[in-house]
C-alpha cells in the first residue's frame, strides 16, 4: 500500500488536534521531494506552523528544501480576495445597477458562516490546477478533523448553492425575454449570452472537477495521524466513516508518539500498558491501514535535523 501512495497527486493529512499532522505532512513532503517529486505542502490550518517546522519563514509561498515548497493559506485573506475576484469578474459584464445587487448578494453569501472554508476550498482548486504544470504532488496539512471534513463536504454544498443561483438566473432571464418581446427563441439566447450565468456555470464546473478529483482513489488519498489514546481513536473511527460516506479514498494511518519501551517507574509502566491496550484496539479496528508507527522523540520536532529523524523513521517503515 505504501508504495502506491507515491503515485497519487494529492495526499491529505488529517487527525485530531496536536497528534502530529503538520509534522507528518512535512516529513512526507521531504520524502517525496527526495524521491524526485516536485512537491508542494499546503497548510490549510489558520494557525500556521509549517514554516516553523523547517525553521523557514514562508511568506504565503516559499521554498522549504530542494524540490519542496510550502504554501500557507490565510483563510481570512483568501476570503476577501475571493469576494473581490468574483466582483471583478462580474463588474465588466453587468450594468452598474445590477452590479450593486450582485455585490450585495456576494457579500451576504460570503459573510455567512463557512465562507472562509469556501474561500480555502477555492484556493484548493487553484492548487489542483497547478498540478502537472508545476508540481507532481500536493500534500495538504489540514486543520483538526471536524474542520477538514467540513471542507471536504463543501463541493456538494457549494454545488447546491450555485445550482440554486443558476436556476434563479435562468428564471429571471426567461421572464425578461418573455416580457421584452414574447418571442420564445429569445429565451434561449438570453441564457446563452448571459455573462453572469456563464460565470456561475464555470464555477459549477470547477467544483465538479474538484469533487471528481477528491473521490478518485488513483489521485487522492487521506492519511490519518493518531496517537494510541482513546479520543484520537474514536475521532479517527468517526472520520473514517464520514470519508466513506463521501466516497473519499483513505490511504492509511500513522500512529505517532509511541512511548519508548524503557518505561522504568510505575507511572510510565502504567501509561505504556494503557498505550498497549489502545494499540491493540487500533490494530483490531484499522490494522490493514497502518502505514507507520513513530516513536515519541525526546525533543519537539523543530528544524531540519529533528525533521530528518522523522523522515528516516518513516522511510524505513514505508519501505518495509
Ligand atoms: N513523534 C514525535 N515526537 C516528539 N514530538 C512530536 C512528535 N510528533 C509531533 N511532535 C510534537 O508535537 C507537537 C504537535 O505536533 P504537530 O504540530 O505536528 O501536530 P498537529 O496535529 O499538526 O497539531 P495541530 O492540530 O495543532 O495543527 C509539536 O510540538 C511537535 O513538534
Ligand atoms: Mg498542525
Amino acid at each position: 500500500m505504501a508504495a502506491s501512495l507515491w503515485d497519487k497527486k494529492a495526499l491529505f493529512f488529517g487527525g485530531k488536534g496536536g497528534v502530529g499532522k503538520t509534522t507528518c505532512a512535512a516529513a512526507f513532503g521531504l520524502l517525496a521531494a527526495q524521491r524526485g517529486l516536485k512537491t508542494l505542502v499546503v497548510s490549510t490550518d489558520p494557525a500556521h506552523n509549517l514554516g516553523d517546522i523547517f525553521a523557514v519563514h514562508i511568506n504565503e509561498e516559499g521554498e522549504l528544501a530542494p524540490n519542496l515548497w510550502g504554501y500557507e493559506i490565510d483563510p481570512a485573506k483568501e476570503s476577501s480576495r475571493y469576494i473581490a475576484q468574483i466582483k471583478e469578474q462580474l463588474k465588466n459584464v453587468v450594468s452598474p445597477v445590477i452590479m450593486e445587487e450582485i455585490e450585495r448578494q456576494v457579500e451576504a453569501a460570503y459573510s455567512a458562516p463557512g465562507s472562509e472554508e469556501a474561500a480555502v476550498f477555492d484556493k484548493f482548486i487553484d492548487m489542483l490546477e497547478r498540478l502537472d504544470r508545476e508540481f507532481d504532488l500536493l500534500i495538504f496539512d489540514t486543520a483538526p478533523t471536524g474542520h477538514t471534513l467540513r471542507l471536504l463536504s463543501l463541493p456538494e454544498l457549494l454545488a447546491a448553492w450555485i445550482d440554486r443561483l443558476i436556476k434563479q438566473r435562468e428564471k429571471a432571464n426567461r421572464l425578461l425575454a418573455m416580457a421584452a418581446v414574447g418571442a420564445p427563441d429569445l429565451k434561449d439566447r438570453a441564457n446563452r449570452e448571459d455573462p453572469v450565468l456563464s460565470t456561475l456555470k464555470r464555477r459549477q464546473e470547477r467544483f465538479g472537477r474538484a469533487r471528481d478529483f477528491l473521490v478518485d482513489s488513483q489521485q487522492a488519498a487521506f492519511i490519518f495521524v493518531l496517537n494510541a489514546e482513546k479520543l484520537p481513536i474514536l475521532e479517527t473511527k468517526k472520520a473514517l466513516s464520514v470519508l466513506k460516506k463521501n466516497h473519499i479514498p483513505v490511504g492509511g494511518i500513522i500512529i505517532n508518539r509511541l512511548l519508548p519501551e524503557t518505561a522504568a517507574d510505575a507511572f510510565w509502566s502504567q501509561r505504556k500498558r494503557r498505550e498497549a491496550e489502545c494499540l491493540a484496539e487500533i490494530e483490531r479496528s484499522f490494522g490493514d491501514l497502518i502505514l507507520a508507527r513513530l516513536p515519541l522523540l525526546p525533543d519537539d520536532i523543530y528544524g531540519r535535523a529533528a525533521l530528518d529523524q522523522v523522515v528516516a523513521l518513516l522511510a524505513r517503515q514505508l519501505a518495509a
Side-chain angles (χ1 to χ4, degrees):
M1 174 198 284
S4 66
L5 279 179
W6 304 117
D7 301 335
K8 306 281 184 264
K9 294 276 168 203
L11 297 174
F12 295 84
F13 281 79
K16 198 172 157 46
V19 291
K21 296 178 293 296
T22 306
T23 306
C24 289
F28 248 80
L30 260 179
L31 257 180
Q34 285 164 6
R35 292 172 67 100
L37 298 172
K38 280 203 165 60
T39 305
L40 179 69
V41 183
V42 184
S43 164
T44 58
D45 186 341
H48 294 297
N49 51 6
L50 180 61
D52 294 345
I53 290 193
F54 287 85
V56 169
H57 180 70
I58 46 172
N59 189 11
E60 197 162 61
E61 181 165 354
E63 193 170 351
L64 297 170
N67 263 349
L68 185 67
W69 291 265
Y71 193 108
E72 295 181 334
I73 297 180
D74 178 339
K77 201 161 96 191
E78 235 28 88
S79 184
S80 42
R81 203 188 270 172
Y82 188 46
I83 294 175
Q85 182 206 338
I86 293 183
K87 283 185 188 166
E88 194 55 40
Q89 273 178 5
L90 294 176
K91 198 171 77 195
N92 302 324
V93 292
V94 297
S95 76
V97 182
I98 298 180
M99 193 56 210
E100 252 177 59
E101 176 53 27
I102 288 179
E103 286 206 358
R104 261 199 302 278
Q105 281 188 20
V106 170
E107 296 272 1
Y110 284 94
S111 59
S115 64
E116 287 193 354
E117 283 132 306
V120 168
F121 191 75
D122 200 66
K123 195 76 206 169
F124 156 68
I125 305 176
D126 282 351
M127 298 293 170
L128 291 187
E129 286 171 353
R130 293 174 68 183
L131 265 173
D132 298 329
R133 247 186 309 132
E134 293 172 70
F135 302 109
D136 302 309
L137 175 68
L138 298 176
I139 290 183
F140 289 91
D141 164 30
T142 71
T145 332
H147 193 91
T148 307
L149 294 177
R150 249 163 75 83
L151 203 68
L152 294 176
S153 59
L154 266 174
E156 240 113 273
L157 292 178
L158 292 176
W161 179 71
I162 289 200
D163 210 40
R164 241 189 351 266
L165 286 181
I166 288 178
K167 290 225 167 70
Q168 275 171 13
R169 188 75 192 172
E170 281 175 346
K171 194 168 156 202
N173 281 349
R174 231 171 11 243
L175 291 175
L176 210 68
M178 270 169 11
V181 243
D185 62 317
L186 277 182
K187 185 179 81 182
D188 285 341
R189 207 159 84 205
N191 276 343
R192 226 179 12 249
E193 290 171 5
D194 177 2
V196 176
L197 199 57
S198 42
T199 302
L200 288 173
K201 288 198 164 152
R202 263 203 309 280
R203 297 207 92 77
Q204 192 184 38
E205 280 161 20
R206 229 165 105 80
F207 290 136
R209 278 201 302 277
R211 175 75 203 160
D212 291 347
F213 182 91
L214 279 176
V215 297
D216 181 355
S217 60
Q218 301 282 316
Q219 305 204 78
F222 212 96
I223 295 174
F224 279 100
V225 183
L226 80 166
N227 306 142
E229 289 166 14
K230 198 77 201 157
L231 290 180
I233 294 176
L234 286 176
E235 193 153 325
T236 303
K237 278 188 187 164
K238 220 162 45 194
L240 283 174
S241 75
V242 174
L243 289 189
K244 197 163 166 214
K245 211 174 91 206
N246 284 284
H247 312 289
I248 292 168
V250 174
I253 63 172
I254 296 174
I255 313 167
N256 188 26
R257 288 167 160 271
L258 290 170
L259 298 173
E261 298 296 340
T262 52
D265 62 30
F267 175 85
W268 288 109
S269 316
Q270 165 63 21
R271 285 230 57 122
K272 192 68 193 161
R273 264 200 305 280
R274 181 78 197 106
E275 185 186 84
E277 284 167 22
C278 287
L279 208 50
E281 160 140 32
I282 292 175
E283 276 157 8
R284 253 195 326 274
S285 302
F286 8 78
D288 53 337
L289 289 175
I290 298 172
L291 293 173
R293 297 169 174 80
L294 297 175
L296 175 69
L297 297 172
D299 281 317
D300 281 354
I301 295 148
Y302 180 85
R304 264 307 286 276
L307 193 56
D308 282 340
Q309 262 183 291
V310 182
V311 170
L313 286 164
L314 257 181
R316 218 171 306 139
Q317 297 202 33
L318 291 175

